[in-house]
């Protein structure tokens, strides 16, 4: 059985073996010694040729040469610190903590990975944080080694200072759009964390602003778009490996304080150290509340709940593979069942997203329009790993930081191969592990959860690389060298509208519809949908008209 060596260009030997490790052959073949091994290899190569899935990374983003870009950061909380490390700026406290951890645990490579990270040729010139303790921590750490960083009292002062070329926004959700819009209109490049917006109206306004300022490079922080397994999945879907995909199930499973947004409340938090009015903005004007400041994700007034905070990641990583856009219909259910601590966003949520006329693979080319449902299921009271599964007529894909594909026993495409015993539906016909050439150490269940979402790291040439670093590098490359970010304003628009539809469906207890032609959400005639979405007192039992 001859094979074409050109088919394997771009694959290392270990990639091929990893990609085919699960392919079965008839039992008699295994027992025949050397000749069976050779035959087994040919069988594997044959199926690899049939599948033709390319597990190669995308082209590298452009050079970081030229004058250093001047970056401003708005929001130096948990995510803000992570983003700064991706830029090459770590706090003194983090460096000390990582040095101690690596000394105690030889498998902890976080400090070594950070030190080996490419220099992105940027200067952190400005920071804005309304909590004095955080801002002062940044200044102590980043005003060193030739870098000069200044604190600004408000985001508008920072944006209009003339000291920044680009900004990174890592604030509570209700500030994402106002800050991003102000920067875009000032001609400043923007990297904003998810969800892109907090209200429906903001979503349209921000898109309009970006379209009117084409010189601004705008990116949304969905770093999983750099993850190797998702890029490999895109190739598999494009080659109709699964056939028509009718159901996708993706999940969030958390069971600790951090996962439930019970972040630490700093002992120095007070009206003397926090600009409370600047935090509230357009949110309801209430007296100072430290829990609201540090655990803002628990309230609709500042955050977007499971639909905006976590669904957006899962939706976007499926959208980057299938490019299915905004669902036609959304229904949702759930409630506050575990963490009855004063929060008003649900801790259990199920969202069904229907695409009645969406087709994947070859069915559309054949003129047979078919649809699918994407189900998002979340709990903050259990961390059992349910994974992400794409279910097609011919195959099923398990998608995480690794990838496995199983042939369906009733597949049309693989029917003959199954009958011939060359494929066993119980064993993957393809599996891809991007760490095949390297050694990985997952230190906790939480780390594995984030890694499988593509949110912590991916691999390039078998070496572990921070996904956020690659995503920010892509944004910086677009600023310097031209091109469009993989998650820009159009992808952000799809993400934000889908998240808002999920939140509305939960609140009003009925199906929400998207009119793609008019680009409008259809829910309750004559109602202010944003008012319903953000009202802390509104739940399914109240809005039922």
């Amino acid at each position: 059985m001859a094979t074409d060596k050109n088919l394997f260009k771009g694959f290392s030997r270990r990639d091929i073996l990893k990609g085919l490790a699960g392919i079965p052959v008839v039992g008699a073949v295994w027992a025949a010694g050397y000749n069976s091994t050779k035959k087994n290899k040919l069988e594997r190569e044959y199926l690899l040729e049939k599948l033709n899935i390319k597990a190669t990374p995308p082209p590298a983003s452009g050079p970081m040469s030229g004058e250093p870009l001047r970056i401003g950061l708005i929001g130096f909380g948990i995510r803000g610190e992570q983003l700064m490390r991706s830029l090459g700026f770590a706090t003194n406290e983090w460096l000390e903590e990582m040095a101690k951890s690596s000394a105690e645990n030889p498998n902890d490579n976080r400090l070594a990975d950070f030190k080996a990270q490419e220099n992105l040729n940027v200067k952190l010139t400005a920071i804005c944080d309304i909590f004095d303790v955080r801002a002062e921590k940044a200044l102590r750490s980043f005003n060193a080694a030739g870098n000069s960083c200044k604190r600004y009292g408000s985001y508008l002062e920072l944006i209009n200072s003339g000291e920044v070329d680009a900004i990174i926004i890592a604030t509570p959700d209700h500030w994402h759009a106002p800050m991003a819009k102000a920067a875009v209109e000032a001609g400043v490049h923007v990297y904003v964390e998810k969800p892109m917006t907090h209200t429906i109206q903001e979503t349209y306004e921000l898109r309009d602003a970006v379209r009117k300022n084409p010189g601004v490079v705008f990116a949304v922080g969905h770093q999983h778009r750099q993850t190797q397994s998702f890029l490999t999945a895109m190739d598999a879907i494009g080659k109709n490996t699964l056939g028509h995909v009718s159901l996708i199930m993706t999940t969030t499973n958390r069971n600790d304080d951090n996962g439930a947004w019970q972040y630490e409340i700093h002992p120095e938090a007070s009206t003397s150290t926090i600009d409370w009015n600047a935090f509230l903005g357009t949110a309801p004007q209430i007296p100072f509340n430290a829990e609201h400041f540090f655990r803002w994700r628990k309230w609709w007034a500042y955050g977007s709940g499971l639909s905006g905070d976590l669904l957006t990641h899962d939706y976007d990583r499926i959208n980057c593979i299938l490019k299915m856009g905004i669902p036609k219909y959304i229904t949702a259910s759930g409630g506050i069942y575990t963490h009855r601590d004063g929060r008003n966003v649900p801790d259990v949520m199920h969202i069904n997203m229907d695409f009645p006329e969406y087709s994947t693979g070859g069915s559309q080319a054949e003129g047979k329009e078919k649809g699918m449902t994407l189900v998002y299921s979340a709990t903050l009271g259990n961390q059992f790993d349910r994974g992400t599964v794409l279910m097609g007529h011919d195959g099923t894909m398990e998608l995480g930081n690794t990838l496995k594909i199983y042939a369906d026993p009733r597949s049309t495409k693989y029917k003959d191969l199954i009958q011939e015993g060359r494929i066993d539906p119980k064993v993957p016909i393809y599996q891809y592990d991007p760490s095949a050439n390297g050694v990985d150490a997952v230190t906790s269940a939480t780390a594995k959860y984030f890694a499988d979402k593509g949110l912590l790291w991916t691999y390039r040439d078998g070496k572990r690389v921070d996904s956020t670093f690659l995503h920010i590098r892509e944004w910086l490359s677009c600023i310097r060298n031209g091109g469009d970010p993989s998650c820009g304003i159009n992808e952000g628009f799809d993400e934000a509208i889908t998240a808002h539809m999920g939140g509305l469906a939960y609140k009003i207890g009925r199906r929400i519809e998207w009119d793609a032609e008019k680009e409008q959400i259809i829910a309750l005639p004559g109602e202010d949908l944003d008012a319903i979405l953000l009202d802390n007192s509104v739940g399914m039992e109240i809005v039922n008209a």
Side-chain angles (χ1 to χ4, degrees), residues 25-40:
V25 290
V26 290
V29 174
W30 287 101
Y34 174 78
N35 287 335
S36 69
T37 302
K38 185 176 181 180
K39 184 176 181 181
N40 178 28

Side-chain angles (χ1 to χ4, degrees), residues 412-527:
T412 302
K413 182 173 185 173
Y414 305 118
K415 179 180 179 181
D416 292 344
L417 292 171
I418 292 172
Q419 290 179 346
E420 292 167 9
R422 293 172 116 167
I423 286 180
D424 180 350
K426 298 184 183 68
V427 179
I429 58 173
Y430 184 88
Q431 54 186 351
Y432 180 66
D433 181 353
S435 66
N437 298 324
V439 177
D440 183 27
V442 177
T443 56
S444 68
T446 303
K448 185 180 186 304
Y449 167 83
F450 284 112
D452 278 342
K453 298 291 186 183
L455 302 176
L456 288 186
W457 59 74
T458 184
Y459 295 84
R460 293 292 186 266
D461 300 322
K463 181 181 178 182
R464 195 171 88 174
V465 184
D466 181 76
S467 301
T468 300
F469 166 81
L470 291 173
H471 204 51
I472 285 182
R473 191 191 194 285
E474 178 194 73
W475 172 60
L476 296 175
S477 176
C478 292
I479 295 171
R480 287 184 162 115
N481 306 301
D484 298 316
S486 57
C487 192
I489 190 62
N490 294 326
E491 294 80 9
F493 183 87
D494 288 353
E495 166 246 76
I497 291 294
T498 300
H500 298 327
M501 288 174 66
L504 278 170
Y506 165 77
K507 284 204 163 191
I508 69 176
R510 62 171 60 184
R511 187 172 75 171
I512 301 293
E513 181 177 351
W514 172 250
D515 186 326
E517 185 175 343
K518 295 181 179 178
E519 291 196 316
Q520 289 181 344
I521 295 174
I522 303 172
L524 297 171
E527 294 282 353

Side-chain angles (χ1 to χ4, degrees), residues 225 234 315 318-326 358 494:
R225 284 181 173 260
M234 289 171 63
Y315 162 81
I318 300 301
N319 196 28
C320 80
I321 294 171
L322 298 183
K323 297 177 175 59
M324 71 279 182
I326 299 168
Y358 177 74
D494 288 353

Side-chain angles (χ1 to χ4, degrees), residues 204-465:
Y204 296 98
E205 292 175 354
L206 182 54
R207 186 179 65 170
D208 288 344
V210 174
R211 287 178 172 178
K212 290 176 182 176
N213 293 274
V216 170
V217 178
F218 179 90
V220 182
H222 284 300
Q223 66 269 21
H224 52 251
R225 284 181 173 260
Q226 311 298 326
T227 302
Q228 183 61 58
S229 57
F230 299 157
L231 300 170
T232 305
M234 289 171 63
D235 191 68
I237 291 292
K239 287 167 180 168
N240 200 25
T241 306
L242 305 184
H244 169 68
V245 176
S246 59
L247 178 64
I248 300 173
M249 301 185 70
T250 185
T251 61
T252 291
N253 311 285
R254 294 178 170 185
N255 196 20
D256 59 20
D257 283 348
N258 184 70
W261 307 317
Q262 300 280 30
Y263 304 131
E264 179 185 357
I265 297 176
H266 199 283
E268 294 183 43
S270 71
T271 53
S272 299
T273 58
I274 293 173
D275 187 340
W276 178 244
N277 289 330
F279 167 77
L280 289 175
T282 58
Q285 301 298 295
I286 63 172
F288 176 77
N289 186 315
E291 186 176 27
H292 279 227
F293 182 79
F294 289 96
R295 300 172 177 174
W296 54 265
R297 283 182 168 88
K298 293 163 52 175
W299 288 275
W300 291 110
Y302 326 109
S304 309
L306 284 163
S307 52
D309 190 67
L310 298 174
L311 162 67
T312 51
H313 274 312
D314 285 290
Y315 162 81
D316 187 73
R317 67 198 188 105
I318 300 301
N319 196 28
C320 80
I321 294 171
L322 298 183
K323 297 177 175 59
M324 71 279 182
I326 299 168
K328 174 69 173 174
Y329 304 111
I330 285 187
T331 56
S333 64
I336 304 170
Y337 299 142
T338 300
H339 301 281
R340 292 174 173 170
D341 54 4
R343 72 181 63 204
N344 57 41
V345 300
D347 55 25
V348 171
M349 200 170 193
H350 301 273
I351 300 178
N352 293 334
M353 292 158 272
D354 286 299
F355 303 82
E357 297 178 353
Y358 177 74
S359 297
T360 57
S363 60
Q364 197 168 41
E366 297 164 6
K368 301 175 183 177
E369 289 191 350
K370 298 182 180 182
M372 75 168 186
T373 294
L374 169 57
V375 178
Y376 172 73
S377 177
T379 176
L380 301 183
N382 181 281
Q383 71 176 39
F384 183 79
D385 184 6
R386 295 179 288 163
T388 295
V389 181
L390 289 76
M391 305 173 72
H393 168 68
D394 292 308
T396 298
M397 178 187 293
E398 292 182 346
L399 179 63
N401 222 357
T402 60
L403 180 153
K404 291 181 181 179
I405 298 175
Y406 295 82
D408 191 88
R410 301 298 179 189
S411 165
T412 302
K413 182 173 185 173
Y414 305 118
K415 179 180 179 181
D416 292 344
L417 292 171
I418 292 172
Q419 290 179 346
E420 292 167 9
R422 293 172 116 167
I423 286 180
D424 180 350
K426 298 184 183 68
V427 179
I429 58 173
Y430 184 88
Q431 54 186 351
Y432 180 66
D433 181 353
S435 66
N437 298 324
V439 177
D440 183 27
V442 177
T443 56
S444 68
T446 303
K448 185 180 186 304
Y449 167 83
F450 284 112
D452 278 342
K453 298 291 186 183
L455 302 176
L456 288 186
W457 59 74
T458 184
Y459 295 84
R460 293 292 186 266
D461 300 322
K463 181 181 178 182
R464 195 171 88 174
V465 184

